[in-house]
Amino acid sequence: MSTTLWIKKPLSIFTANQQDAGNGIVIKDGLIVELVANNSEPVHNIDNIFDANQHVLLPGLINTHHHLYQTLTRALPAALNKRLFPWLQALYPVWAKLQPDMLHAATELGLSELLLSGCTTVADHHYLFPEALTEAIDIQVSAAKLIGNRVMLTRGSMSLGQDDGGLPPQSTVQSDAIILDDCQRVINQFHQKGEGAMVQLALAPCSPFSVTTDLMKETANLARANDVRLHTHLAETEDENSFCLKAFGLRPLDYLESVGWLSSDVWLAHGIHFNDEEVKRLGQAKTGIAHCPSSNMILASGICRTKELQAAGSPVGLAVDGSASNDGSNMIQEVRQALMINRLRYQADQVTHLDALFWATKGSAQVLGRDDIGELAVGKQADLALFKLDELRFSGSHDPLAALILCGAHQADCVMVAGQWKVKSGLLIDHDINDMQARHSEAAANLIL
Ligand SMILES: [Zn+2]
């Protein structure tokens, strides 16, 4: 028998829309069934009450771009203080040695880290398929089911290795035919359609420059035949613009358009170095952008034109990016980073903590093509993050929602996915985090032997 739960009168609430839920929300069968306005009581009969008078309530945060395997190579000496291309060249030989148990441990740990920071949905971009790891997506699905976040796993690809003038070692690239066969296999096997999906698949060449032109086109055809989304890295650095002009005689966005990817079923990681005319075209096409503030600062890549892209019509979401360029997987901290980096581009009254929270919730949901998550409204999935403001850093704060971001929250107290509690009192409910961390540390040590 289903029960109703009232998350009663939160200290503060961000719904990601204009609706009044000042007196909380009611959950039933994994869905939000009622918003309770200030000074009102629920209409539904209530079975259980969660008194949220010490909690700030947010829609579960949504991370739109990650490389979970990179949690094994955080702060690696060989890759410190480098620009994007030499950074990649330092890391590829290490990543090429990735083994199945390592990827499993990395996925479990990264998803847990995100969940503890209030993140209920994660898009991961996995593009490494060396001989030992041809079933990488299968491994990630099994780890995701264990931890319990919703996931959008993107079947990445690289088909241009060093032998063809590319950056990755030959052992990490696959042929176009093998890649396309496996894309179809994992879609058939794992992709869930419709509202409430826990596991979805998308197709994601690592970048347009690490695969053949044919593969870009064929991947788009395959994705559209299966009604799944497309993802890749684009316009991350100025170096990429020069590389692309030299290799194709085109700027990255022109190349993207030439292979049929300037479209609303595509989202791009970073999306920094676009000119005015390109921003307009992206907006008209409604192509989504995964804004990655920390990664862009670590690699000195630049600052995304978030507000112009949004004004032009592009959905903008937030992402922590891979853990070799962040090097944490903490979504609530990333909201703060987003506010800070955007304040360097825009005036203080043009971008607020509410903008940053919107990117991390509804904006991210739009980027992933979902309208069942990312906001607190009737009929949406019951994915929630609740934060307490009881640490030293919050003492003396006045506006709870602003304090959450400005004082630097880093850990959720309670997190719910699809109506099920996954985190309580700042701890994972179903998992021994010490055992997970021990296995992960051992995998990281073995990877660099
Ligand atoms: Zn990335």
Side-chain angles (χ1 to χ4, degrees), residues 215-236:
L215 188 62
M216 282 301 286
K217 291 179 180 167
E218 288 303 319
T219 301
N221 292 339
L222 189 65
R224 284 165 187 153
N226 286 278
D227 193 22
V228 301
R229 296 176 76 76
L230 288 161
H231 180 50
T232 192
H233 292 101
L234 203 85
E236 183 171 357

Side-chain angles (χ1 to χ4, degrees), residues 62-65 231 267-272 288-297 302-307 309 315-321 331 334-335 337-343 345-346 351 355-356 359-360 364 367:
I62 301 172
N63 178 31
T64 56
H65 179 74
H231 180 50
W267 85 103
L268 305 171
H270 307 294
I272 298 169
I289 303 292
H291 174 37
C292 306
S294 296
S295 173
N296 297 162
M297 288 188 270
I303 309 175
C304 179
R305 302 177 68 183
T306 51
K307 299 290 274 187
L309 283 158
V316 173
L318 202 59
V320 300
D321 199 8
M331 265 306 278
E334 205 62 32
V335 177
Q337 300 282 61
L339 177 64
M340 299 301 171
I341 194 172
N342 278 276
R343 284 276 170 95
R345 181 179 281 285
Y346 306 103
V351 60
D355 290 315
W359 291 327
S364 283
V367 163

